[in-house]
Structures are given as C-alpha cells and as structure tokens.
Amino acid sequence: PRSMEDIFQHVAHCHDPRRRFVVRASYLQIYNEVISDLLKPDRTNLMIREDRQRGIFVDGLSEWLCRSPAEVQTLMEHGSAARATAQTGANDASS
C-alpha cells in the first residue's frame, strides 16, 4: 500500500543523526471475540492489556522488523492467507 511507501520514504529522507527509526508490523484478527496473531497462527486467545509504559497493546502479538515496503507486503500476504472467514447475511448483499 501507498502508506508503507510514504513511511519508508520519510525514513529515507530524514537526515537528522539524532533520530533513529524502527518499523515493525503486526497482523491480528478478532473473529468471534477471539484475538489471533495472523503471522503466528498458533497464537490465539490473545488478551488486550494496558500499562503506563507501553500503553494499550495485545499481549503475545508478534512484531516483525520491516526494512522495506516489500517486506510489509510479504507479511500482509502471509497474514491474509491465515485469516478466518465465514459467510454472513451482509455478504449476500455486498458486491
């Protein structure tokens, strides 16, 4: 997606030696009220947590270091293949 191109272009054009960028990606699914890690499918029933330092986060959700938009795209494709889907009444009327 274009947003990933924009993020990595911003990082590449920042020449401030006091700044350091780390881009990480995660991919989760909430399906039937169960949170699952789509990049590590064996991790299910994850919990949303909150603490003062990290803020709100999903405990146990994998984070992957990404060095390019292509790496993000690969993770998205991998995660999309692990998604659970089911037909609903809304699917019947959607295009």
Side-chain angles (χ1 to χ4, degrees):
R2 277 192 244 168
S3 59
M4 293 301 103
E5 295 285 342
D6 291 343
I7 289 170
F8 285 97
Q9 282 181 6
H10 177 77
V11 169
H13 290 107
C14 183
H15 301 292
D16 185 346
R18 298 169 293 167
R19 292 191 181 207
R20 181 173 175 242
F21 295 93
V22 177
V23 179
R24 293 186 191 127
S26 298
Y27 198 175
L28 66 82
Q29 172 177 260
I30 303 172
Y31 184 76
N32 288 335
E33 300 183 24
V34 175
I35 302 172
S36 301
D37 187 330
L38 292 176
L39 300 175
K40 293 241 176 196
D42 57 312
R43 295 183 185 180
T44 59
N45 293 317
L46 302 177
M47 300 297 295
I48 298 172
R49 306 255 189 237
E50 181 176 12
D51 73 23
R52 289 184 179 185
Q53 289 189 327
R54 291 184 69 184
I56 298 171
F57 65 99
V58 177
D59 195 24
L61 184 64
S62 64
E63 292 184 345
W64 299 78
L65 182 64
C66 296
R67 294 181 184 90
S68 70
E71 288 184 6
V72 176
Q73 183 65 33
T74 298
L75 289 175
M76 290 176 65
E77 290 169 1
H78 180 73
S80 292
R83 288 181 59 218
T85 59
Q87 185 170 349
T88 66
N91 294 131
D92 294 336
S94 66
S95 57

